[in-house]
Amino acid sequence: MRILKFGGSSVATPQRILDVVNIVSKARERNCRAVVFSAFGGVTDQLIAMARQAESGDEDFTRSFKELELRHISAARELISVANQSQVMGQVKMMLNELEDVLQGIQLVGEFTPRTLDFIMSFGERLSNYIISRTLTDRGIPAGYLDARTVIRTDDRFGQALADMETTRELLGKHFAKHPEVQIVTGFIGSTNKGVTTTLGRGGSDLTASILGACLDAEAIEIWTDVSGIMTADPRKVRKAFPVQHVTYEEAQEMSHFGAKVIYPPTMQPAMAQNIPIWIKNTFAPDAIGTLVSGEPDKTELPVKGISSIGHVALVRVQGAGMIGVVGVAQRIFGALAKAGINTILISQASSEHSVCFAVSPEQAALSRQVIMAEFDFEVQRGRISDVIVEDNMCVVAVVGENMRSTPGIAGKVFQALGRNGVNVSAIAQGSSELNISVVISRKDEQKALIAIHDAFFLSGLKTVNLFFIGVGLIGSTAIDMLHKQREKLRETLKVDLRIIGMCNSRKMLFDLNGLDDDGWKQQLEAKGGPMTPDTFLKHTAELNLPNSIIVDCTSSEEIASAYERILKNSISIVTPNKKACSGSMSRYLALHREAARRDVSFLYETNVGAGLPLIKTLQEMHHTGDSIHSVEGVLSGTLSYLFNEYDGSRPFSQLVAEAREKGFTEPDPRDDLNGMDVARKLLILAREIGLSLELADISMEPLLPASLFEAPDTETFLKDLPSVDDAFKARYEQARDAGKKLRYIAKVDANGARISLQQVEQSHPCYGLQSTDNLILIHSDCYSNRPMVVAGPGAGPKVTASGVVADIIKSALR
C-alpha cells in the first residue's frame, strides 16, 4: 500500500488539480490506497486573516469570504460535469454556510479561541478534499471522501495537536477494511475523543500522510510538492542547487531544522518508527526521480548531502572569568531559558569555559538577555560575568551529511570556502555524531556562504567565478570576447566557470546574475543599461556579495584606481591593466598588497608592463626565490617602440602618431605615451617589484616633446599642434641613421636610481632589432650575471593586452 500527499501549490488551480488526477490515476497501479490533500494554495492563510478581521470588527472579512466562496464554487463547476454538479454544489455550499456562521459569531463576540481557529482552518482541507474526491469519481476513478477528524484522534493542544497513534491505528484499520476505493483524506486536521476539531501544526498535511502510512503499515509514503526532491541547497539562493536522490531520516531532519522547507521533522516521526520510506516527488515533473528518505544509509560517496540556513537569528554571548571551572553554569543558562519558553537553535562553548554563546530567534533575543542577566545578577554585580552581548542580523549555515563522519577534511573545506570569500564566522557548532557542521555568520553573507560551500562540495570541483568589467573599450571588449570563446573549454579543462555578471562603460552599466549573453552583450548594455557612475557600479558589485568575485578594470582611470583598497576590503579580487594604482604613492602600493594578502584575494596587474609579456610574474618569482636583481633595462612602451620602429623620415612623425592611435597602439590620449609618463609609471612598477622603494618623482626622464604641446586643452588640439615637431624628429632620426644607429626610448633601474631617455643604439645592442610594438627587457641578477635574462615580445595592442588580462583572470580563478 502507498500513501500519497499533495500540497497546496499542487492543487492551487483547477488545471493543477486535473494534473494531480492523472498522477493519482496512475498511482492506483502501484497500490495507492489513500491520497492526502492540503487546502487550495493560500486558503489557510486567507481563513486565518478572515478570522482576525472578524474579531476586530472589520467588515472586510465578508469580502474575503465571498472571494473564498467564489474560488471553490468556480473550481467545482470547472472540474465536475454538469450532470453531477448539483449534489457537489449543495455540499460545498453547506460547508461554506457553516464557515460564514462561525465568522459572524466571532464578529459578534469580538474574540476567538485557539479551538475556534482550528475549526475555522479545517474548512480549507475539508472543501479541497471533497471537491477533489468528487472530481475523481466524476472521471470514473472510484474514490471516497474521508474527513480525517473521524479517524485521527488527538489531544486538545489546539494548533499543534498530538495524535493518539493506538486509537488512530484502530479507527483507520476499520475504515480501510470497509472501503476498498481510493480514500481522499483531509490533511492537517484531526479531533479529540469528544469530537472537537484540532489541527496538527506546521507541515500538518505531511504529518497526516505519515500517520496514515504508519498506522496502515504502508510500503511507502509519497510527498508530492513543487520541487523535484530535497535540494542540495535552497534554489532561490543557490542557482546551481539540484535534487539529492537519497537521504537518511537523520539527514532530512537536520536539513529541515536548518531551513529546508520540503519536509518537516514531525512528519517523519511516525514513518521513522515503522521504518517506512518517504519519497519526495514533484507534481509539475512527475517523471523526475525525486528523493528517497529512508533509514538505510546512502551508498554514494558524497560526504555532504545538503547545505541549509536559518536566515535570521540573534547570537547571545555570555562570558566572564567567573565561569571558568564553575560547575552548573550551562545548566543555569539553559534552565533559565527553558523556564522562559525560549528555544535555543544552536549552542557553542569555548574549551576554556570563558564563554558560552547560543542562537535564538530575533524575537526572543531581548528576553534572552533579560533572563540571563536576572539569573546571574549576583555574578554580574561582582564582575565575574561580563555584560551579556546580543548580536542581531546573524544567520546560521549548516552543512549536513551522514558520510561526514568518515571523511577527513570536511570542516577545513567549509572554512576555506568561507575564508577565501571574506565570510567571518562568529560561532561554530558540531555534534559528536559529525552529521552537521553549523556556523553563525552575518546575514548579509548568507547567500555568498551558501554558494561558496555548495560550489566546494557539489560541483565536481567546478568553481564559479563572477566577473565585473569596468571599461569595455578595445581591451575590455576583446577580453570579453576571448572569455566567451574559451568558456566551455575552461569549464572542461580547468574546472572554472567564468560568468560576466556586470559591465559598464563611461555612460551605462548592466548587471545580470545569470551572466550576460555571449552574443549581443554590447547591444544589451546599450539597450538595458542604467546610468553609470563608478561609485554606483562598485557599490552594487559589493552589495551583490557574490563569492569568487573579480573586478576587471580595463580603464586608465585614477578614480577607479583610488577605489581599489575599498574593493579588496570587500573580499573582491582585482585584475587590471590600469597602471595608476601601482604607480601611485608607495604607501598605496604597499597598502593594496597588504589588503589583498589579508583578505586572501588576488591583486593582479601583469599587463601594467609589457602587455601580455610575463614580466612582472618573472620578477616577482626571482625576488621571492632570493635572486638579487641588479638592474632592469629596456624598451617598455609598445607605443613608442612602434613609433620609432616605423618612423623612417618619409612621412611626418605626427601622421604616424595619428595612425598608431587609430590602431589602438596608443592610449586614448597619445600624450599619455609621448610625455614619457606611461614609461615612467611602468619603470616605477618594475622598481617596486624588485624591492626598491621609489616614488614617481624619483625617476629621471628626458621629455620627447616640448612642454607647450602638453598644455593643449584636449586631444584633438594636441594632434593638430603636433606637426610642429616633425622637423626636429626628422633631424634626430637622420643623425642616428647616418651613424648606423637607431632611436630607442630606453628605461633603466638599478642601484643608482631610475632613468628614461631617448638613445641612439648600435647594431650590437639587443634593442636595435625591435619590430612593430615589441618590448624588450634585460634583467641582470645574481643568477643572470654573465648573460641577462631577456623578456621580449609585442608590448601594445588590444589583443596581446587582452590576452594578458584573461590570463590574470584565470590565474585568480584558480587560486
Side-chain angles (χ1 to χ4, degrees), residues 299-491:
K299 295 181 180 179
T300 68
E301 296 181 359
L302 281 176
V304 170
K305 289 296 182 62
I307 305 157
S308 299
S309 64
I310 301 175
H312 191 189
V313 301
L315 189 65
V316 183
R317 186 165 65 249
V318 186
Q319 62 186 34
M323 296 170 58
I324 299 174
V326 178
V327 176
V329 171
Q331 186 274 331
R332 289 176 63 190
I333 291 173
F334 298 109
L337 293 172
K339 287 179 183 178
I342 297 170
N343 179 52
T344 53
I345 298 168
L346 173 147
I347 301 169
S348 179
Q349 179 177 7
S351 59
S352 66
E353 301 181 40
H354 178 264
S355 68
V356 175
C357 64
F358 54 90
V360 297
S361 68
E363 296 78 15
Q364 295 184 313
L367 179 59
S368 297
R369 183 181 184 279
Q370 181 182 334
V371 166
I372 299 300
M373 291 293 286
E375 174 67 29
F376 290 92
D377 181 64
F378 179 84
E379 289 84 354
V380 171
Q381 294 294 331
R382 286 155 182 76
R384 296 176 185 174
I385 287 183
S386 307
D387 189 19
V388 178
I389 300 168
V390 176
E391 295 179 68
D392 199 0
N393 289 317
M394 309 297 283
C395 73
V396 179
V397 173
V399 181
V400 177
E402 288 268 8
N403 291 339
M404 288 166 55
R405 295 189 180 106
S406 56
T407 307
I410 298 297
K413 204 169 184 179
V414 170
F415 296 120
Q416 182 183 51
L418 295 175
R420 284 195 168 178
N421 287 285
V423 179
N424 183 57
V425 177
S426 298
I428 304 165
Q430 180 177 10
S432 59
S433 66
E434 298 184 61
L435 180 65
N436 177 320
I437 297 174
S438 300
V439 295
V440 181
I441 61 174
S442 171
R443 277 184 82 189
K444 69 180 179 63
D445 290 327
E446 178 188 6
Q447 184 173 24
K448 178 160 72 170
L450 289 169
I451 294 172
I453 297 172
H454 191 271
D455 279 6
F457 284 102
F458 291 113
L459 296 186
S460 300
L462 182 67
K463 182 179 181 181
T464 300
V465 179
N466 301 295
L467 305 179
F468 300 84
F469 269 79
I470 304 177
V472 289
L474 280 172
I475 294 172
S477 61
T478 304
I480 289 171
D481 289 342
M482 287 180 176
L483 286 170
H484 284 155
K485 290 177 182 177
Q486 288 292 104
R487 186 181 179 194
E488 289 306 316
K489 185 175 182 180
L490 292 172
R491 282 172 59 94

Side-chain angles (χ1 to χ4, degrees), residues 618-619 621-623 625 627-631 778-791:
T618 299
L619 290 176
E621 290 176 350
M622 293 174 69
H623 186 60
T625 56
D627 187 6
S628 180
I629 301 172
H630 304 152
S631 68
L778 308 172
I779 304 171
H780 289 84
S781 69
D782 285 349
C783 294
Y784 296 91
S785 55
N786 295 326
R787 296 179 61 192
M789 176 186 287
V790 178
V791 179

